[in-house]
């Protein structure tokens, strides 16, 4: 894995968890808006919107650089629209990047011809 691909995966990973947290907070704010006088939906909606747009941009970049299959790319996108999906995406991306680092080190050491 080259440095640009690793960076693309890292960016996607770093925005996954905050995007998921903002989605959950937005849902909580929506419930509070309807049950109390508290209305933070406009603020949280904007924050979540920015994080979601960043997630989609980073997702497209990672898909382009990693050459994921359509199914893998679709999985990461679906995880972005589920309330807790960003946490699962982050965990899966972390494993994927760790495996890529291990494979790159093995190739450098000559133990694997991959």
């Amino acid at each position: 894995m080259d440095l640009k691909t690793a960076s693309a995966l890292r960016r996607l990973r770093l925005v996954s968890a905050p995007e998921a947290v903002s989605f959950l907070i937005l849902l909580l704010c929506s419930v509070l808006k309807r049950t109390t006088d508290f209305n933070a939906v406009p603020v949280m909606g904007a924050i979540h919107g920015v994080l979601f747009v960043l997630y989609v941009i980073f997702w497209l970049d990672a898909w382009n650089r990693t050459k994921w299959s359509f199914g893998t790319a679709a999985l990461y996108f679906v995880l972005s629209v589920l309330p807790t999906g960003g946490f699962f995406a982050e965990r899966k991306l972390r494993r994927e990047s760790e495996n890529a680092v291990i494979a790159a080190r093995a190739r450098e050491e000559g133990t694997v011809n991959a």
Side-chain angles (χ1 to χ4, degrees):
M1 176 182 300
D2 66 339
L3 186 58
K4 290 183 179 183
T5 304
S7 295
L9 287 175
R10 181 173 168 79
R11 282 190 303 268
L12 182 59
R13 221 183 98 217
L14 289 176
V15 80
S16 293
E19 190 271 336
V21 170
S22 72
F23 194 5
L24 292 173
I25 293 172
L26 179 60
L27 291 175
L28 176 66
C29 288
S30 295
V31 170
L32 290 175
K33 177 184 176 183
R34 284 157 180 75
T35 59
T36 67
D37 292 334
F38 183 74
N39 184 11
V41 171
V43 174
M44 278 313 302
I47 292 169
H48 174 68
V50 167
L51 288 171
F52 181 74
V53 168
L54 284 174
Y55 184 96
V56 171
I57 290 169
F58 295 157
W59 168 75
L60 287 169
D61 184 39
W63 185 9
N64 183 41
R65 292 187 186 281
T66 59
K67 307 298 185 221
W68 285 327
S69 67
F70 179 78
T72 301
L75 172 67
Y76 284 120
F77 185 78
V78 168
L79 287 175
S80 75
V81 296
L82 296 175
T84 58
F87 299 120
F88 296 107
E90 192 276 332
R91 186 177 304 144
K92 193 166 173 56
L93 287 164
R94 184 178 56 222
R95 278 192 216 125
E96 185 174 331
S97 63
E98 288 171 355
N99 290 341
V101 168
I102 291 169
R105 287 182 183 163
R107 279 194 299 274
E108 286 176 3
E109 294 174 2
T111 56
V112 175
N113 290 331

